[in-house]
Amino acid sequence: MIAHDDVPLALTSTVVQSDENGDYSFDVQGFLLPHEMMRREMARGERAVAHMDCIKHPWKARAFAEWFIDFFNPIMYAHHDIEENIIFPFYFQLNVITPDRQAEDHLALIGRLNRVERACKRLLLLVEAEDMDTLAVKKEQDNIIAQFLDLCDHMREHFAEEEVYWPKILRHCGKENWDKIEPLLIEHALKFGDNNAGEPYRLMLCAIARSQGIQIGDDTFAAGETRWASKAFQEWYISTRPFYV
């Protein structure tokens, strides 16, 4: 793995003040780590559906479904699992009050994720049929595009809200409490990677690294790709997590 500082810096967050060197305080780093990766993955998905024509190119249905079902949906579940089972309970013990809609937002997002996955499975059946029903394929393809874009809109809004109120909570509770919870987050991530069914989560760790500007193996950066973190932060991240490549 190589930590880069020559990949251009660009923050995808719309609410966190961008730092020209990619250096961020502890109160935003913890949420930028997953959110910056996920927003980049959503952008990849949006580019894919913008060019989706599953009648002429059935492979595009298979490629998008594989990405969404085997990678994107599981890592979204993993992210919310970490929040609900580690971060939120830890800070609730410190008498932290979070917005009432937090739990409702997670349930709504899970519902949207599940709807896109079901639509992907229906589209796969249609494109793999011996006698393709092109009208049905077009209808389901358009449904997936609409559902996925709606999911991305709501996900970005949800992430932005978290990046407004959680840094305030973390600053209020102090870095000493974040230092207590951070090892639990790393341990949880590594358990995902060690699991026999943990391929999506191993890829998640690598995707988080790439969003920072960390090169893994021979997989170099393409023109136009950006990073959000400083080289010093990248090197800390590499030192705290083994990778499964």
Side-chain angles (χ1 to χ4, degrees):
M1 290 173 292
I2 303 171
H4 278 280
D5 59 4
D6 54 353
V7 178
L9 279 165
L11 199 66
T12 62
S13 174
T14 57
V15 295
V16 174
Q17 182 66 41
S18 180
D19 182 89
E20 63 179 8
N21 298 312
D23 291 317
Y24 296 94
S25 54
F26 82 94
D27 50 301
V28 295
Q29 280 178 353
F31 282 85
L32 289 180
L33 269 170
H35 290 180
E36 284 294 309
M37 177 272 291
M38 291 176 183
R39 280 188 290 254
R40 284 170 165 79
E41 289 298 322
M42 286 190 288
R44 288 181 64 205
E46 287 167 333
R47 290 193 295 271
V49 298
H51 299 282
M52 184 178 278
D53 184 345
C54 298
I55 297 172
K56 291 183 179 179
H57 307 290
W59 66 267
K60 292 189 175 185
R62 290 187 286 271
F64 183 80
E66 180 180 359
W67 172 80
F68 189 88
I69 295 171
D70 295 340
F71 174 66
F72 188 77
N73 203 5
I75 68 171
M76 287 297 181
Y77 268 87
H79 172 63
H80 291 137
D81 179 71
I82 288 170
E83 288 184 336
E84 293 183 358
N85 292 302
I86 298 180
I87 297 176
F88 298 166
F90 180 89
Y91 281 98
F92 290 161
Q93 291 177 353
L94 302 177
N95 298 316
V96 160
I97 299 175
T98 60
D100 293 335
R101 58 178 288 189
Q102 179 176 267
E104 295 176 4
D105 279 353
H106 279 190
L107 287 174
L109 290 171
I110 287 170
R112 286 183 167 87
L113 288 163
N114 291 341
R115 284 195 290 274
V116 176
E117 178 163 329
R118 288 194 296 269
C120 285
K121 291 177 178 178
R122 290 194 299 269
L123 182 61
L124 283 177
L125 290 174
L126 290 169
V127 300
E128 292 172 356
E130 186 173 335
D131 185 14
M132 183 189 293
D133 182 340
T134 56
L135 289 177
V137 169
K138 181 65 165 63
K139 181 179 179 180
E140 198 61 69
Q141 173 186 291
D142 290 347
N143 176 47
I144 285 178
I145 293 171
Q147 294 276 7
F148 181 70
L149 295 179
D150 174 71
L151 166 67
C152 291
D153 287 344
H154 282 83
M155 197 73 75
R156 287 190 178 95
E157 180 183 350
H158 175 70
F159 289 165
E161 289 176 354
E162 287 186 332
E163 290 168 6
V164 168
Y165 67 77
W166 270 103
K168 296 176 183 177
I169 291 172
L170 299 186
R171 286 194 299 273
H172 174 75
C173 294
K175 189 174 185 302
E176 64 276 12
N177 278 304
W178 181 254
D179 288 342
K180 292 176 183 177
I181 197 173
E182 194 166 49
L184 301 178
L185 301 177
I186 295 172
E187 180 184 2
H188 197 68
L190 298 184
K191 283 182 180 179
F192 278 142
D194 287 336
N195 190 295
N196 289 333
E199 184 64 20
Y201 313 112
R202 291 191 286 272
L203 292 175
M204 177 178 73
L205 294 178
C206 294
I208 289 174
R210 188 179 183 86
S211 74
Q212 298 172 48
I214 298 171
Q215 179 183 334
I216 300 174
D218 296 327
D219 190 17
T220 57
F221 291 88
E225 282 197 79
T226 60
R227 64 182 169 95
W228 67 269
S230 67
K231 189 170 183 178
F233 185 81
Q234 296 169 37
E235 290 172 344
W236 169 82
Y237 187 80
I238 290 172
S239 71
T240 57
R241 293 159 175 83
F243 286 88
Y244 312 86
V245 182

